[in-house]
Amino acid sequence: MLKGIPSILSPELMKIMLEMGHGDELVIADGNFPAASCAKRLVRSDGHGAVELLEAILPFFPIDTYVEKPISLMEVVPGDSTTPVIWDEYKQIIKKNEPAFEEFQMIERFDFYERAKGAYAIVATSEQALYANIIFKKGVVSR
Amino acid sequence: MLKGIPSILSPELMKIMLEMGHGDELVIADGNFPAASCAKRLVRSDGHGAVELLEAILPFFPIDTYVEKPISLMEVVPGDSTTPVIWDEYKQIIKKNEPAFEEFQMIERFDFYERAKGAYAIVATSEQALYANIIFKKGVVSR
Amino acid sequence: MLKGIPSILSPELMKIMLEMGHGDELVIADGNFPAASCAKRLVRSDGHGAVELLEAILPFFPIDTYVEKPISLMEVVPGDSTTPVIWDEYKQIIKKNEPAFEEFQMIERFDFYERAKGAYAIVATSEQALYANIIFKKGVVSR
Amino acid sequence: MLKGIPSILSPELMKIMLEMGHGDELVIADGNFPAASCAKRLVRSDGHGAVELLEAILPFFPIDTYVEKPISLMEVVPGDSTTPVIWDEYKQIIKKNEPAFEEFQMIERFDFYERAKGAYAIVATSEQALYANIIFKKGVVSR
Amino acid sequence: MLKGIPSILSPELMKIMLEMGHGDELVIADGNFPAASCAKRLVRSDGHGAVELLEAILPFFPIDTYVEKPISLMEVVPGDSTTPVIWDEYKQIIKKNEPAFEEFQMIERFDFYERAKGAYAIVATSEQALYANIIFKKGVVSR
Amino acid sequence: MLKGIPSILSPELMKIMLEMGHGDELVIADGNFPAASCAKRLVRSDGHGAVELLEAILPFFPIDTYVEKPISLMEVVPGDSTTPVIWDEYKQIIKKNEPAFEEFQMIERFDFYERAKGAYAIVATSEQALYANIIFKKGVVSR
Amino acid sequence: MLKGIPSILSPELMKIMLEMGHGDELVIADGNFPAASCAKRLVRSDGHGAVELLEAILPFFPIDTYVEKPISLMEVVPGDSTTPVIWDEYKQIIKKNEPAFEEFQMIERFDFYERAKGAYAIVATSEQALYANIIFKKGVVSR
Amino acid sequence: MLKGIPSILSPELMKIMLEMGHGDELVIADGNFPAASCAKRLVRSDGHGAVELLEAILPFFPIDTYVEKPISLMEVVPGDSTTPVIWDEYKQIIKKNEPAFEEFQMIERFDFYERAKGAYAIVATSEQALYANIIFKKGVVSR
Amino acid sequence: MLKGIPSILSPELMKIMLEMGHGDELVIADGNFPAASCAKRLVRSDGHGAVELLEAILPFFPIDTYVEKPISLMEVVPGDSTTPVIWDEYKQIIKKNEPAFEEFQMIERFDFYERAKGAYAIVATSEQALYANIIFKKGVVSR
Amino acid sequence: MLKGIPSILSPELMKIMLEMGHGDELVIADGNFPAASCAKRLVRSDGHGAVELLEAILPFFPIDTYVEKPISLMEVVPGDSTTPVIWDEYKQIIKKNEPAFEEFQMIERFDFYERAKGAYAIVATSEQALYANIIFKKGVVSR
């Protein structure tokens, strides 16, 4: 543990976020996501919900401003009547950190898996809400 | 995730607990414990308190009945006026799973470090209570 | 060994099943299956039949409900007069754990090999019945 | 699987037994033995009893004739009233393979652990009988 | 060394043959074969001829009965007047172990290399006879 | 790079500082220190002075309050007339972050090497000032 | 550290530059470049600007004379009004070491990423100027 | 060092030449060749010329007689007026060991790189003559 | 295979013999020797007798002339009536290569094991003669 | 290869010399030295004499001035009438680089081996002169 770093950010996750550059992607996956079979680099965060992680990550992690929709969600599968309320929570946390944020990019389930396979890392949470997977494209740190 | 296994138990932790045998020891360390420098096998559980972990672990993990005091705590350092209230919470969870449990073994701080170095594994939590480190000696599974 | 976990589930197998996510596949292979040459992750379970393993695995392992036939068998090769009686045993164990189960998907021998190469893991048993290979697609754990 | 080799002997176990030489020791451990923390080389044999393994191993494995008592058991801990009936089963299997066998060497529990740490390999069974641990000293193959 | 296992079968080779399944292929290569550059798994057997190895391997290794010609040789290169007499020795040893054996499949030199690259393992002997390379497709062990 | 983390802190160094616990030690070594031969974990920081690093590290890194002198310097070797002015710079940076700091512990050269060998990690700078090596004992993060 | 080698050149970087041959490419990346996801071999140089590195590298590193434009920059993305002044600094340092140098090759952003993935190594600086990435093609050392 | 083996042949090089089989290729590269980026297996021979190595290698290394031109050189790049005199030295050493040798195969520069990538190994010398790279295809050892 | 190198000398063994220096020891072990548990570096030579190996090794391997008895045998265990005739064969091969050789050093069984543990490498043959283990101390190659 | 770095200095050796710090030792060993069995880090320099290496190393490598005799040789073994003329060559090269150098420290043969085991690295040359082994203690680079 260090002063000023939330304890939910593991040493490995902090290292990975520091290594990432402009355009690299970070997936926060829910508890049912096939994270171990998709991930180039896997960070397990067992027992945690996705919201707690977003709140710890976003104050450090810049979002890409070179693309229109730098944050992506997995679309509800056709025929499934679920309405993911967690998306609103996500929106609030993101807006708090990136006020210019407007809209998510929606990605079909199997396209989402392919996208996740190309991501720099996947954080496997135990989030129990369905369709809680989310991808962040990293932006530029300017001083 | 699997049916009937609490999500806070990571795949690695479950594997390690299954590998352990009679007399092997498992340390649940608080957030300030030098876990990485003491552990033969390190399981990180960043962002979690120790109580949550004990509640998930003890229904699976048998406690040794061949020694008098199979569960150990780190003694408060002389001169430190802390009274660790978390010890009472520990006692309750343990009693719920092992009704015959009576008393903790108390270990001096630097002896505790040596004991931890010999343990089978250390689980590094982010528990913020002081003196929250605890060692469990594994018992026998009989059917 | 742990309380409540059948001893036939090795630490490695338990870890692998916990790591798997929605849509990942697990192959239980018979003793003649080329498991070592097909497996991304190989769990050896030498000396055991497949039925014993299914009985231990299915109480923990959720079956996918997003596809019509989430459980697959290897078709008898044309010209071979074998009638695999073990399939009925499989059906009974599956029904006990997943009452909604109806029908297996049948896969041609060499297609089955390709499917197995894409699976998350293969458990190599010593099952002596022929055509005893079976693939499970993992479902969602909801609480 | 190969012709003439019992399927309970895993590829790894067969390799290890072939590698061992005169005087090297092999431990068959019961399900509660701390095998992973003691073993130089660990062969897991989850779900099996010790008797099945002995029956498969001894037709291949020569016993040392240069020492008086080449096969050792763990003594019952003083105060424990257990009488391990499995020892008679062991004796029968051994006599069938090594008719000259007479008596076991008895080793105190913690001395047994030290001895196991020096052994070439430990086979971790799920044997549920207590005091079922046994050590074999390998002999010479002469043609 | 073990009782009943020929000493020419190294621990590694025995392990590999045990791991192989139905349809996996084993190449016994002569001393000039580019074994190290073709092999997925390489077993060196320096100083031995191929005939000695076949005699040790075939009593354990079942041959595939699901294909017409489960054993293959490398064709003599056009223009080369060699007549490989070792092929007759091979036939005798094979017939002794698999009386139903009839004819070899003949493979052109560079096709043979490709086939060897897909094999489960290559055993590199020091056989000095030319065109002594041979591939065995593993069959089923039935009890 | 991340928002709020100085770019001189490499991903590896940040990970290591997060892993360290109460009582673990971190050495900032000058350019001539035998860091590679002493370090359990080595972080290279070639081309940087030690002062820049201290300024980046100390806002995150708590100093131990359980010992009297948690920060140590290497004593000038007897007979060497050097007066290390860099020690005053160190004092200023430390006081800014830990106002209660009073005095350094002074350690003889070869004792310092032994101490460094036991440290959790060594950061190898290219600091050119002599006697610029310094050891920090990590304290407790309390919230 | 060695006599005559600038301390900003880490042991790893020096080794990599020595290993490179005619036509191999070295990327000096700015702090926002996705270096870890593109690099075959990654050398971190956290906390340093790119200019300092060029000044240390070029006296040792010969530039290719077999191609017309052996040094490449990343083009400003269309619509971005940045004018990278750092390019002039680069030109000066290069001219000092390679007087014959005339013009940079300009590469579109995503083509630059592909080129970097094929490079022998990437040095990840913390350069904060935008569009500061630069690729050097190694030439021949003649004596 | 061993009796009868020239000391310029490193243990690693000797091992690699022994492992190679009929048709495998060995590249002796000059000091500017991009050996580290092309080699499947790299043997460094820093500080040596190519002629010294050929003189040590060829008495042990048989040349392929199944192809017309088993030894290849890199063609001079069009427009380059170099005439590589080292080629005559090569011819002499080769003729001394393989009297039947007649002509080199000439390979265009970038084709040569591709060929080298497929070779069994590359020996990286510090040969300073230009166009000194040479590829040997291994032949058959017959007794 | 190479010209002039006996095929029984594996690439690994040749590499190891080349690496050894003055005073390093090489053990040729019989088939019952616990080679895998004693060896720092193990070279398996399954299926071969020790005499064949000595004949291939000694023309390359210089014997130490700085000690009186550079070649050692394992003494017959007291009470064992074996007279190892293989020792005479050893003597003849040694004398052919090192005419000045006179007498073996005799080492008690368990001292021999300790000595073997310190040796540079052990070659594990399948020699069936008893007491056939032998240690060679390497000498100096002078030109 | 790089401009200004002698080609005999391999990438690995340059890296190792850069990593070394004040007091670390570098051994240049002759061709008969047991380098592989003594070295913590081994750099092979097969085919080269020791003098060539010293001439390349010393312009970069500072010698320790904190001890009286920072350069050591192996004493001639009592009874051996060799007079190592190479020592004079060494002296000349050293004096050219370190004019203040006066006398070597002489070390008995087996003490020399122990000293070499503690050194940071050993460079194994093929130097054929006897008693040509030499140890350098690294000094401080000051600017």
Side-chain angles (χ1 to χ4, degrees), chain E:
Chain E
M1 300 206 299
L2 289 176
K3 294 187 282 186
I5 310 286
S7 69
I8 199 175
L9 298 178
S10 70
E12 187 65 22
L13 176 51
M14 202 68 190
K15 172 170 174 283
I16 276 175
M17 293 197 306
L18 279 162
E19 287 168 359
M20 291 173 67
H22 183 196
D24 283 332
E25 298 193 326
L26 181 70
V27 182
I28 310 300
D30 64 33
N32 286 302
F33 191 82
S37 56
C38 292
K40 283 187 187 168
R41 292 170 191 82
L42 178 62
V43 179
R44 297 204 65 91
S45 191
D46 298 284
H48 290 294
V51 168
E52 308 165 59
L53 264 161
L54 258 64
E55 278 173 338
I57 288 172
L58 288 180
F60 294 98
F61 194 91
I63 301 300
D64 195 1
T65 57
Y66 280 59
V67 298
E68 234 182 301
K69 299 181 176 172
I71 306 180
S72 308
L73 297 172
M74 187 194 276
E75 270 180 12
V76 177
V77 170
D80 187 338
S81 61
T82 310
T83 311
V85 294
I86 201 170
W87 294 356
D88 293 330
E89 290 187 69
Y90 284 1
K91 211 166 201 165
Q92 283 183 349
I93 304 169
I94 294 168
K95 283 230 151 189
K96 207 169 62 194
N97 288 281
E98 303 274 338
F101 171 77
E102 288 189 8
E103 238 178 305
F104 292 112
Q105 179 175 10
M106 302 308 301
I107 306 181
E108 186 273 338
R109 179 179 166 204
F110 290 98
D111 291 349
F112 194 99
Y113 289 167
E114 286 316 302
R115 184 83 168 265
K117 282 177 189 166
Y120 191 80
I122 300 180
V123 182
T125 71
S126 298
E127 176 58 54
Q128 294 174 30
L130 298 177
Y131 297 102
N133 305 297
I134 185 165
I135 304 179
F136 294 93
K137 192 181 271 294
K138 195 180 177 184
V140 165
V141 176
S142 57
R143 274 140 219 247

Side-chain angles (χ1 to χ4, degrees), chain B residues 67-73 91 94-95 100-106:
Chain B
V67 297
E68 234 182 303
K69 298 181 178 174
I71 306 178
S72 308
L73 298 171
K91 211 167 201 166
I94 294 166
K95 283 231 150 188
F101 171 77
E102 287 189 9
E103 238 178 304
F104 292 111
Q105 178 175 11
M106 301 308 301

Side-chain angles (χ1 to χ4, degrees), chain G residues 66-103:
Chain G
Y66 281 58
V67 298
E68 235 182 302
K69 299 182 177 172
I71 306 179
S72 308
L73 296 171
M74 186 194 277
E75 271 180 13
V76 176
V77 170
D80 186 338
S81 62
T82 309
T83 312
V85 294
I86 201 171
W87 294 356
D88 293 330
E89 289 186 72
Y90 285 2
K91 211 166 202 165
Q92 283 184 349
I93 304 168
I94 294 167
K95 283 231 151 188
K96 207 168 61 194
N97 287 282
E98 303 274 339
F101 171 76
E102 288 189 9
E103 238 178 306

